[in-house]
Amino acid sequence: IMDTILKAKDDGANITAVVFWGVADDDSWLLSPQFSQGRHNMPLLFDETLKAKPAYWGIVDSSKLLPFINEENVVYSDTTDWSLAPKIAIGTDETASMKLLWKSGKLVARITVKDKTKDKNDVVALYYDLNNKKANNASAIKKITVKRSQGKEVKGGYVVEKAINIGKKGVGSKIGFDVVIKDAKTGKRQCWNDLQMKQSKRSKYYGTLTLKPFMCINKGSAVIDGKIDAIWKNVKAQKLTVKSAATKTSATVKTLWDKNYIYVVAQVKDACLNKDNTNAWEQDSLEIFVDENNGKTDSYENDDCQYRINYSNELSFNGANCNSKNIKSKTKVTKDGYIVEARIKRNTVKGKAKQLVGIDFQINDADASGARVATINWYDASGMGYANPSVFGTARLDATAAKKS
């Protein structure tokens, strides 16, 4: 908060003081019964024994604070398409940022630094802990150093790009990571996570990267009949791997798009099918989440939908435009599970090539008693997709048409 206030002042805001109503927690108006409502409030910079609290050091010298662990999702891109990666700030003065992507065997980092003084000894150091051990020692640390001279000069600064070997890490893997940028002329260093600048001595305060999938959806229209028709044969299947608990149930989904609809077929392997529970989300079922404008808002808007289809093709809905008129579905019970095929109407944004769409899929896995024992998602691990579209994954609508076998 103080960094934001100070930056606003530097940018010209008329800020003359930051005022605190008191000094220590032993003498705060928030302790009075009228305002405390039974809570023991501790709002000030010093505690009840006049000892400086973290809030004090956050204002005076943030390097004395234990670092906060930043977390970022890194999406898959076999073509290293940087338009898919969000810009992540490094440091607090907006002079450096990074983008991250991953593909088979590699984590790729692109670091952009604003620095008009061209010094070949300016350095970007990448620190990583492949197993995210968060150790208080250097045992798990690997480091790659890239000099400015090894990067590319751009207007006002430079860019370095580096691929890191990550072996067989895949969707859901977590990697400890930090970046340190050093300006050779001034000696100034800034980083992404460990503000105490002990990256070479410990990985405990590295940020955490989670490898996430990304989906390219072929163009095409499917007949909704609960069968795996020819149109689906050459569409890439996406595995659902994010499990809330251990389960032998597994699933894959395939997706198509046209101007007016999104098409989905899911194949679920589940030895025990049950829909006895009166709560629809505890029945064996597929959930389809769609954010038509990929707004990634933290609550549902008119373009956000959640459709739930159990193995008997019974439906339930969540979202202003999510209803039986806007979906057509068929299901089929198989010898080892069930198939769901669905066509979902686009309500607010028509489909077009290269468009990004928020999307996720979830399997609800019930046991013989009718209780849900696990969920299996394509992207989200939070379980909050029913309320928060920002946790959906992202797909791009591809102009390439699906080829019939």
Short mmCIF file of all heavy atoms in Angstrom, two decimals, residues 311-369:
data_model
loop_
_atom_site.label_atom_id
_atom_site.label_comp_id
_atom_site.label_asym_id
_atom_site.label_seq_id
_atom_site.Cartn_x
_atom_site.Cartn_y
_atom_site.Cartn_z
N TYR A 311 -24.85 -38.49 -15.81
CA TYR A 311 -24.73 -39.58 -16.79
C TYR A 311 -26.08 -40.01 -17.36
O TYR A 311 -26.14 -40.71 -18.38
CB TYR A 311 -23.99 -40.77 -16.18
CG TYR A 311 -24.70 -41.44 -15.02
CD1 TYR A 311 -25.59 -42.48 -15.24
CD2 TYR A 311 -24.46 -41.03 -13.71
CE1 TYR A 311 -26.24 -43.10 -14.18
CE2 TYR A 311 -25.11 -41.63 -12.65
CZ TYR A 311 -25.99 -42.66 -12.88
OH TYR A 311 -26.64 -43.27 -11.82
N SER A 312 -27.18 -39.59 -16.73
CA SER A 312 -28.52 -39.87 -17.26
C SER A 312 -29.08 -38.68 -18.05
O SER A 312 -30.28 -38.64 -18.35
CB SER A 312 -29.47 -40.23 -16.11
OG SER A 312 -29.12 -41.46 -15.53
N ASN A 313 -28.24 -37.72 -18.34
CA ASN A 313 -28.61 -36.54 -19.12
C ASN A 313 -29.60 -35.64 -18.39
O ASN A 313 -30.43 -34.97 -19.00
CB ASN A 313 -29.17 -36.92 -20.49
CG ASN A 313 -29.06 -35.77 -21.49
OD1 ASN A 313 -28.14 -34.96 -21.43
ND2 ASN A 313 -30.01 -35.69 -22.41
N GLU A 314 -29.50 -35.58 -17.07
CA GLU A 314 -30.28 -34.64 -16.27
C GLU A 314 -29.43 -33.39 -16.05
O GLU A 314 -28.25 -33.49 -15.68
CB GLU A 314 -30.68 -35.29 -14.95
CG GLU A 314 -31.61 -36.48 -15.16
CD GLU A 314 -31.77 -37.35 -13.93
OE1 GLU A 314 -30.91 -37.26 -13.03
OE2 GLU A 314 -32.75 -38.12 -13.88
N LEU A 315 -30.02 -32.22 -16.25
CA LEU A 315 -29.27 -30.97 -16.31
C LEU A 315 -29.52 -30.08 -15.09
O LEU A 315 -30.61 -30.10 -14.51
CB LEU A 315 -29.66 -30.19 -17.57
CG LEU A 315 -29.56 -30.92 -18.91
CD1 LEU A 315 -29.98 -29.99 -20.04
CD2 LEU A 315 -28.16 -31.44 -19.15
N SER A 316 -28.52 -29.28 -14.76
CA SER A 316 -28.68 -28.19 -13.79
C SER A 316 -27.78 -27.05 -14.26
O SER A 316 -26.85 -27.25 -15.05
CB SER A 316 -28.32 -28.64 -12.37
OG SER A 316 -27.08 -29.31 -12.33
N PHE A 317 -28.08 -25.83 -13.77
CA PHE A 317 -27.51 -24.64 -14.39
C PHE A 317 -27.05 -23.61 -13.37
O PHE A 317 -27.54 -23.56 -12.25
CB PHE A 317 -28.56 -23.97 -15.30
CG PHE A 317 -29.32 -24.93 -16.17
CD1 PHE A 317 -30.59 -25.35 -15.81
CD2 PHE A 317 -28.77 -25.40 -17.34
CE1 PHE A 317 -31.29 -26.23 -16.60
CE2 PHE A 317 -29.46 -26.27 -18.15
CZ PHE A 317 -30.73 -26.69 -17.78
N ASN A 318 -26.15 -22.73 -13.82
CA ASN A 318 -25.70 -21.59 -13.03
C ASN A 318 -25.28 -20.49 -14.00
O ASN A 318 -24.41 -20.70 -14.83
CB ASN A 318 -24.53 -21.99 -12.12
CG ASN A 318 -24.00 -20.82 -11.32
OD1 ASN A 318 -24.72 -19.88 -10.99
ND2 ASN A 318 -22.70 -20.86 -11.01
N GLY A 319 -25.90 -19.32 -13.89
CA GLY A 319 -25.58 -18.21 -14.78
C GLY A 319 -26.83 -17.61 -15.37
O GLY A 319 -27.82 -18.32 -15.62
N ALA A 320 -26.81 -16.30 -15.62
CA ALA A 320 -28.01 -15.58 -16.07
C ALA A 320 -28.56 -16.14 -17.37
O ALA A 320 -29.78 -16.17 -17.58
CB ALA A 320 -27.68 -14.10 -16.22
N ASN A 321 -27.68 -16.56 -18.28
CA ASN A 321 -28.12 -17.09 -19.58
C ASN A 321 -27.93 -18.60 -19.69
O ASN A 321 -27.88 -19.15 -20.78
CB ASN A 321 -27.37 -16.39 -20.71
CG ASN A 321 -27.84 -14.97 -20.91
OD1 ASN A 321 -29.03 -14.73 -21.06
ND2 ASN A 321 -26.91 -14.03 -20.88
N CYS A 322 -27.81 -19.24 -18.54
CA CYS A 322 -27.57 -20.68 -18.51
C CYS A 322 -28.90 -21.38 -18.22
O CYS A 322 -29.41 -21.33 -17.10
CB CYS A 322 -26.55 -20.99 -17.42
SG CYS A 322 -25.83 -22.63 -17.51
N ASN A 323 -29.50 -22.00 -19.24
CA ASN A 323 -30.80 -22.64 -19.09
C ASN A 323 -30.96 -23.73 -20.14
O ASN A 323 -30.11 -23.89 -21.03
CB ASN A 323 -31.93 -21.60 -19.20
CG ASN A 323 -31.85 -20.79 -20.48
OD1 ASN A 323 -31.90 -21.34 -21.58
ND2 ASN A 323 -31.72 -19.47 -20.34
N SER A 324 -32.05 -24.47 -20.07
CA SER A 324 -32.27 -25.62 -20.95
C SER A 324 -32.42 -25.23 -22.41
O SER A 324 -32.18 -26.04 -23.30
CB SER A 324 -33.51 -26.40 -20.48
OG SER A 324 -34.66 -25.57 -20.51
N LYS A 325 -32.82 -23.98 -22.68
CA LYS A 325 -32.97 -23.53 -24.07
C LYS A 325 -31.63 -23.34 -24.76
O LYS A 325 -31.57 -23.36 -25.99
CB LYS A 325 -33.77 -22.23 -24.11
CG LYS A 325 -35.21 -22.35 -23.65
CD LYS A 325 -35.92 -21.01 -23.74
CE LYS A 325 -37.37 -21.12 -23.28
NZ LYS A 325 -38.06 -19.80 -23.35
N ASN A 326 -30.59 -23.14 -23.98
CA ASN A 326 -29.28 -22.81 -24.54
C ASN A 326 -28.30 -23.98 -24.57
O ASN A 326 -27.11 -23.78 -24.81
CB ASN A 326 -28.67 -21.64 -23.78
CG ASN A 326 -29.41 -20.35 -24.04
OD1 ASN A 326 -30.03 -20.18 -25.10
ND2 ASN A 326 -29.39 -19.44 -23.08
N ILE A 327 -28.81 -25.18 -24.32
CA ILE A 327 -27.96 -26.36 -24.39
C ILE A 327 -28.74 -27.53 -24.96
O ILE A 327 -29.94 -27.69 -24.71
CB ILE A 327 -27.39 -26.73 -23.00
CG1 ILE A 327 -26.44 -27.93 -23.10
CG2 ILE A 327 -28.50 -27.01 -22.00
CD1 ILE A 327 -25.69 -28.26 -21.82
N LYS A 328 -28.06 -28.32 -25.77
CA LYS A 328 -28.58 -29.61 -26.21
C LYS A 328 -27.55 -30.65 -25.83
O LYS A 328 -26.35 -30.48 -26.10
CB LYS A 328 -28.80 -29.62 -27.72
CG LYS A 328 -29.37 -30.95 -28.22
CD LYS A 328 -29.64 -30.93 -29.72
CE LYS A 328 -30.22 -32.27 -30.18
NZ LYS A 328 -30.50 -32.27 -31.65
N SER A 329 -27.98 -31.73 -25.17
CA SER A 329 -27.03 -32.73 -24.71
C SER A 329 -27.59 -34.14 -24.85
O SER A 329 -28.80 -34.34 -24.87
CB SER A 329 -26.64 -32.47 -23.25
OG SER A 329 -27.78 -32.58 -22.41
N LYS A 330 -26.67 -35.07 -24.95
CA LYS A 330 -26.99 -36.50 -24.97
C LYS A 330 -25.94 -37.24 -24.16
O LYS A 330 -24.77 -36.84 -24.13
CB LYS A 330 -27.01 -37.07 -26.40
CG LYS A 330 -28.12 -36.53 -27.28
CD LYS A 330 -29.46 -37.14 -26.91
CE LYS A 330 -30.56 -36.70 -27.87
NZ LYS A 330 -31.88 -37.28 -27.53
N THR A 331 -26.36 -38.30 -23.49
CA THR A 331 -25.41 -39.12 -22.74
C THR A 331 -25.58 -40.58 -23.10
O THR A 331 -26.62 -41.00 -23.61
CB THR A 331 -25.59 -38.96 -21.21
OG1 THR A 331 -26.91 -39.40 -20.85
CG2 THR A 331 -25.39 -37.52 -20.78
N LYS A 332 -24.56 -41.36 -22.83
CA LYS A 332 -24.60 -42.80 -23.07
C LYS A 332 -23.76 -43.50 -22.02
O LYS A 332 -22.59 -43.16 -21.81
CB LYS A 332 -24.06 -43.12 -24.46
CG LYS A 332 -24.07 -44.61 -24.80
CD LYS A 332 -23.48 -44.87 -26.18
CE LYS A 332 -23.44 -46.36 -26.49
NZ LYS A 332 -22.84 -46.62 -27.83
N VAL A 333 -24.36 -44.45 -21.31
CA VAL A 333 -23.61 -45.26 -20.35
C VAL A 333 -22.86 -46.34 -21.11
O VAL A 333 -23.43 -47.03 -21.96
CB VAL A 333 -24.55 -45.88 -19.30
CG1 VAL A 333 -23.78 -46.82 -18.38
CG2 VAL A 333 -25.22 -44.78 -18.47
N THR A 334 -21.56 -46.48 -20.82
CA THR A 334 -20.71 -47.47 -21.48
C THR A 334 -20.33 -48.56 -20.48
O THR A 334 -20.66 -48.48 -19.29
CB THR A 334 -19.45 -46.80 -22.04
OG1 THR A 334 -18.68 -46.26 -20.95
CG2 THR A 334 -19.83 -45.67 -23.00
N LYS A 335 -19.60 -49.53 -20.93
CA LYS A 335 -19.22 -50.64 -20.04
C LYS A 335 -18.25 -50.20 -18.94
O LYS A 335 -18.15 -50.86 -17.90
CB LYS A 335 -18.60 -51.77 -20.85
CG LYS A 335 -17.29 -51.41 -21.55
CD LYS A 335 -16.75 -52.60 -22.34
CE LYS A 335 -15.43 -52.24 -23.04
NZ LYS A 335 -14.89 -53.41 -23.80
N ASP A 336 -17.54 -49.08 -19.15
CA ASP A 336 -16.59 -48.63 -18.13
C ASP A 336 -16.83 -47.19 -17.69
O ASP A 336 -15.96 -46.57 -17.09
CB ASP A 336 -15.16 -48.79 -18.62
CG ASP A 336 -14.87 -48.01 -19.90
OD1 ASP A 336 -15.80 -47.38 -20.43
OD2 ASP A 336 -13.70 -48.02 -20.36
N GLY A 337 -18.02 -46.65 -17.97
CA GLY A 337 -18.29 -45.28 -17.56
C GLY A 337 -19.43 -44.67 -18.34
O GLY A 337 -20.50 -45.26 -18.47
N TYR A 338 -19.20 -43.48 -18.91
CA TYR A 338 -20.25 -42.83 -19.68
C TYR A 338 -19.67 -41.79 -20.63
O TYR A 338 -18.52 -41.35 -20.49
CB TYR A 338 -21.30 -42.18 -18.77
CG TYR A 338 -20.81 -41.11 -17.82
CD1 TYR A 338 -21.02 -39.76 -18.10
CD2 TYR A 338 -20.17 -41.44 -16.62
CE1 TYR A 338 -20.59 -38.77 -17.22
CE2 TYR A 338 -19.75 -40.45 -15.74
CZ TYR A 338 -19.96 -39.13 -16.04
OH TYR A 338 -19.54 -38.15 -15.16
N ILE A 339 -20.47 -41.41 -21.62
CA ILE A 339 -20.13 -40.38 -22.60
C ILE A 339 -21.14 -39.25 -22.47
O ILE A 339 -22.33 -39.48 -22.29
CB ILE A 339 -20.16 -40.94 -24.04
CG1 ILE A 339 -19.07 -41.99 -24.23
CG2 ILE A 339 -20.01 -39.82 -25.07
CD1 ILE A 339 -19.18 -42.74 -25.56
N VAL A 340 -20.65 -38.01 -22.52
CA VAL A 340 -21.52 -36.83 -22.58
C VAL A 340 -21.17 -36.04 -23.84
O VAL A 340 -19.99 -35.78 -24.10
CB VAL A 340 -21.34 -35.91 -21.36
CG1 VAL A 340 -22.22 -34.66 -21.50
CG2 VAL A 340 -21.67 -36.64 -20.07
N GLU A 341 -22.18 -35.69 -24.61
CA GLU A 341 -21.98 -34.81 -25.76
C GLU A 341 -22.93 -33.63 -25.62
O GLU A 341 -24.11 -33.81 -25.26
CB GLU A 341 -22.25 -35.56 -27.06
CG GLU A 341 -21.79 -34.80 -28.30
CD GLU A 341 -21.92 -35.62 -29.58
OE1 GLU A 341 -22.81 -36.49 -29.63
OE2 GLU A 341 -21.16 -35.37 -30.52
N ALA A 342 -22.42 -32.42 -25.87
CA ALA A 342 -23.24 -31.23 -25.63
C ALA A 342 -22.94 -30.14 -26.64
O ALA A 342 -21.82 -30.03 -27.16
CB ALA A 342 -23.01 -30.70 -24.22
N ARG A 343 -23.96 -29.32 -26.90
CA ARG A 343 -23.82 -28.12 -27.73
C ARG A 343 -24.33 -26.94 -26.90
O ARG A 343 -25.49 -26.93 -26.46
CB ARG A 343 -24.65 -28.25 -29.00
CG ARG A 343 -24.51 -27.07 -29.97
CD ARG A 343 -25.50 -27.18 -31.10
NE ARG A 343 -26.87 -26.93 -30.64
CZ ARG A 343 -27.96 -27.19 -31.37
NH1 ARG A 343 -27.85 -27.76 -32.56
NH2 ARG A 343 -29.16 -26.94 -30.88
N ILE A 344 -23.46 -25.96 -26.67
CA ILE A 344 -23.79 -24.82 -25.82
C ILE A 344 -23.88 -23.56 -26.67
O ILE A 344 -22.95 -23.22 -27.41
CB ILE A 344 -22.73 -24.65 -24.71
CG1 ILE A 344 -22.76 -25.86 -23.78
CG2 ILE A 344 -22.95 -23.36 -23.93
CD1 ILE A 344 -21.64 -25.88 -22.78
N LYS A 345 -24.99 -22.87 -26.55
CA LYS A 345 -25.21 -21.65 -27.33
C LYS A 345 -24.39 -20.50 -26.77
O LYS A 345 -24.31 -20.29 -25.56
CB LYS A 345 -26.69 -21.27 -27.31
CG LYS A 345 -27.03 -20.05 -28.14
CD LYS A 345 -28.52 -19.72 -28.07
CE LYS A 345 -28.86 -18.48 -28.87
NZ LYS A 345 -30.31 -18.14 -28.79
N ARG A 346 -23.79 -19.72 -27.68
CA ARG A 346 -23.10 -18.50 -27.29
C ARG A 346 -24.14 -17.38 -27.22
O ARG A 346 -24.86 -17.12 -28.17
CB ARG A 346 -22.00 -18.17 -28.29
CG ARG A 346 -20.91 -19.24 -28.37
CD ARG A 346 -19.88 -18.89 -29.41
NE ARG A 346 -19.16 -17.69 -29.03
CZ ARG A 346 -17.96 -17.68 -28.43
NH1 ARG A 346 -17.36 -18.83 -28.16
NH2 ARG A 346 -17.37 -16.56 -28.12
N ASN A 347 -24.20 -16.71 -26.10
CA ASN A 347 -25.27 -15.74 -25.85
C ASN A 347 -24.89 -14.29 -26.08
O ASN A 347 -25.70 -13.49 -26.54
CB ASN A 347 -25.77 -15.88 -24.41
CG ASN A 347 -26.45 -17.20 -24.16
OD1 ASN A 347 -27.51 -17.45 -24.71
ND2 ASN A 347 -25.84 -18.04 -23.35
N THR A 348 -23.66 -13.93 -25.77
CA THR A 348 -23.29 -12.52 -25.81
C THR A 348 -22.17 -12.21 -26.80
O THR A 348 -22.05 -11.06 -27.24
CB THR A 348 -22.83 -12.04 -24.41
OG1 THR A 348 -21.67 -12.77 -24.02
CG2 THR A 348 -23.94 -12.25 -23.39
N VAL A 349 -21.34 -13.20 -27.12
CA VAL A 349 -20.21 -12.98 -28.03
C VAL A 349 -20.20 -14.10 -29.06
O VAL A 349 -20.10 -15.28 -28.71
CB VAL A 349 -18.86 -12.99 -27.26
CG1 VAL A 349 -17.71 -12.69 -28.22
CG2 VAL A 349 -18.88 -11.99 -26.11
N LYS A 350 -20.30 -13.76 -30.33
CA LYS A 350 -20.25 -14.76 -31.38
C LYS A 350 -18.81 -15.24 -31.58
O LYS A 350 -17.85 -14.49 -31.42
CB LYS A 350 -20.78 -14.19 -32.70
CG LYS A 350 -22.25 -13.77 -32.64
CD LYS A 350 -23.15 -14.96 -32.36
CE LYS A 350 -24.62 -14.57 -32.36
NZ LYS A 350 -25.51 -15.72 -32.04
N GLY A 351 -18.67 -16.50 -31.95
CA GLY A 351 -17.35 -17.07 -32.12
C GLY A 351 -16.67 -16.61 -33.39
O GLY A 351 -17.31 -16.46 -34.43
N LYS A 352 -15.35 -16.37 -33.30
CA LYS A 352 -14.55 -16.05 -34.48
C LYS A 352 -13.12 -16.51 -34.23
O LYS A 352 -12.68 -16.66 -33.08
CB LYS A 352 -14.58 -14.56 -34.78
CG LYS A 352 -14.05 -13.66 -33.70
CD LYS A 352 -14.15 -12.19 -34.10
CE LYS A 352 -13.60 -11.27 -33.01
NZ LYS A 352 -13.70 -9.84 -33.39
N ALA A 353 -12.40 -16.74 -35.32
CA ALA A 353 -11.05 -17.28 -35.23
C ALA A 353 -10.14 -16.37 -34.42
O ALA A 353 -10.26 -15.14 -34.46
CB ALA A 353 -10.48 -17.49 -36.63
N LYS A 354 -9.25 -16.96 -33.66
CA LYS A 354 -8.24 -16.32 -32.80
C LYS A 354 -8.82 -15.73 -31.52
O LYS A 354 -8.08 -15.16 -30.72
CB LYS A 354 -7.45 -15.25 -33.57
CG LYS A 354 -6.66 -15.77 -34.75
CD LYS A 354 -5.85 -14.68 -35.41
CE LYS A 354 -5.07 -15.21 -36.61
NZ LYS A 354 -4.27 -14.15 -37.24
N GLN A 355 -10.12 -15.89 -31.33
CA GLN A 355 -10.76 -15.38 -30.11
C GLN A 355 -10.36 -16.23 -28.91
O GLN A 355 -10.24 -17.45 -28.99
CB GLN A 355 -12.26 -15.42 -30.32
CG GLN A 355 -13.11 -14.81 -29.24
CD GLN A 355 -14.58 -14.93 -29.60
OE1 GLN A 355 -15.16 -16.01 -29.47
NE2 GLN A 355 -15.16 -13.85 -30.10
N LEU A 356 -10.15 -15.58 -27.77
CA LEU A 356 -9.87 -16.29 -26.52
C LEU A 356 -11.16 -16.47 -25.73
O LEU A 356 -11.97 -15.54 -25.62
CB LEU A 356 -8.84 -15.54 -25.68
CG LEU A 356 -7.44 -15.39 -26.27
CD1 LEU A 356 -6.54 -14.62 -25.32
CD2 LEU A 356 -6.82 -16.75 -26.60
N VAL A 357 -11.35 -17.65 -25.17
CA VAL A 357 -12.55 -18.00 -24.42
C VAL A 357 -12.11 -18.60 -23.08
O VAL A 357 -11.22 -19.46 -23.03
CB VAL A 357 -13.41 -19.02 -25.18
CG1 VAL A 357 -14.63 -19.42 -24.37
CG2 VAL A 357 -13.83 -18.46 -26.53
N GLY A 358 -12.74 -18.16 -22.00
CA GLY A 358 -12.50 -18.81 -20.71
C GLY A 358 -13.26 -20.13 -20.67
O GLY A 358 -14.43 -20.19 -21.06
N ILE A 359 -12.60 -21.18 -20.18
CA ILE A 359 -13.24 -22.50 -20.23
C ILE A 359 -12.66 -23.42 -19.17
O ILE A 359 -11.49 -23.29 -18.78
CB ILE A 359 -13.09 -23.12 -21.64
CG1 ILE A 359 -14.16 -24.18 -21.91
CG2 ILE A 359 -11.69 -23.67 -21.86
CD1 ILE A 359 -14.33 -24.51 -23.37
N ASP A 360 -13.49 -24.32 -18.67
CA ASP A 360 -13.00 -25.40 -17.82
C ASP A 360 -14.02 -26.54 -17.85
O ASP A 360 -15.18 -26.35 -18.26
CB ASP A 360 -12.78 -24.94 -16.38
CG ASP A 360 -11.81 -25.83 -15.61
OD1 ASP A 360 -11.26 -26.78 -16.21
OD2 ASP A 360 -11.58 -25.58 -14.41
N PHE A 361 -13.56 -27.70 -17.43
CA PHE A 361 -14.40 -28.90 -17.37
C PHE A 361 -14.14 -29.58 -16.04
O PHE A 361 -13.01 -29.60 -15.54
CB PHE A 361 -14.05 -29.86 -18.52
CG PHE A 361 -14.11 -29.22 -19.87
CD1 PHE A 361 -12.97 -28.70 -20.46
CD2 PHE A 361 -15.32 -29.13 -20.56
CE1 PHE A 361 -13.03 -28.08 -21.70
CE2 PHE A 361 -15.39 -28.52 -21.79
CZ PHE A 361 -14.23 -28.00 -22.37
N GLN A 362 -15.20 -30.13 -15.47
CA GLN A 362 -15.07 -30.79 -14.17
C GLN A 362 -15.92 -32.05 -14.14
O GLN A 362 -17.08 -32.05 -14.55
CB GLN A 362 -15.54 -29.85 -13.05
CG GLN A 362 -15.51 -30.47 -11.65
CD GLN A 362 -15.86 -29.49 -10.58
OE1 GLN A 362 -15.22 -28.44 -10.46
NE2 GLN A 362 -16.88 -29.78 -9.79
N ILE A 363 -15.32 -33.12 -13.66
CA ILE A 363 -16.04 -34.36 -13.40
C ILE A 363 -16.34 -34.44 -11.91
O ILE A 363 -15.44 -34.28 -11.07
CB ILE A 363 -15.22 -35.59 -13.84
CG1 ILE A 363 -14.95 -35.55 -15.34
CG2 ILE A 363 -15.93 -36.89 -13.44
CD1 ILE A 363 -16.19 -35.58 -16.20
N ASN A 364 -17.61 -34.65 -11.57
CA ASN A 364 -17.99 -34.95 -10.18
C ASN A 364 -18.04 -36.46 -10.03
O ASN A 364 -18.75 -37.14 -10.79
CB ASN A 364 -19.35 -34.33 -9.86
CG ASN A 364 -19.31 -32.82 -9.94
OD1 ASN A 364 -18.44 -32.17 -9.37
ND2 ASN A 364 -20.25 -32.23 -10.67
N ASP A 365 -17.30 -36.99 -9.09
CA ASP A 365 -17.16 -38.43 -8.91
C ASP A 365 -17.86 -38.87 -7.61
O ASP A 365 -17.42 -38.51 -6.52
CB ASP A 365 -15.68 -38.80 -8.87
CG ASP A 365 -15.45 -40.29 -8.79
OD1 ASP A 365 -16.37 -41.05 -9.15
OD2 ASP A 365 -14.34 -40.69 -8.36
N ALA A 366 -18.95 -39.60 -7.74
CA ALA A 366 -19.70 -40.09 -6.58
C ALA A 366 -19.34 -41.55 -6.29
O ALA A 366 -19.00 -42.31 -7.19
CB ALA A 366 -21.20 -39.97 -6.84
N ASP A 367 -19.45 -41.93 -5.02
CA ASP A 367 -19.24 -43.34 -4.66
C ASP A 367 -20.59 -44.05 -4.56
O ASP A 367 -21.64 -43.48 -4.85
CB ASP A 367 -18.42 -43.47 -3.37
CG ASP A 367 -19.14 -42.91 -2.15
OD1 ASP A 367 -20.35 -42.59 -2.24
OD2 ASP A 367 -18.48 -42.78 -1.09
N ALA A 368 -20.58 -45.30 -4.13
CA ALA A 368 -21.80 -46.10 -4.09
C ALA A 368 -22.82 -45.57 -3.09
O ALA A 368 -24.02 -45.83 -3.23
CB ALA A 368 -21.44 -47.55 -3.73
N SER A 369 -22.36 -44.78 -2.12
CA SER A 369 -23.29 -44.22 -1.13
C SER A 369 -24.00 -42.97 -1.64
O SER A 369 -24.94 -42.48 -1.02
CB SER A 369 -22.54 -43.88 0.16
OG SER A 369 -21.74 -42.71 -0.02
#
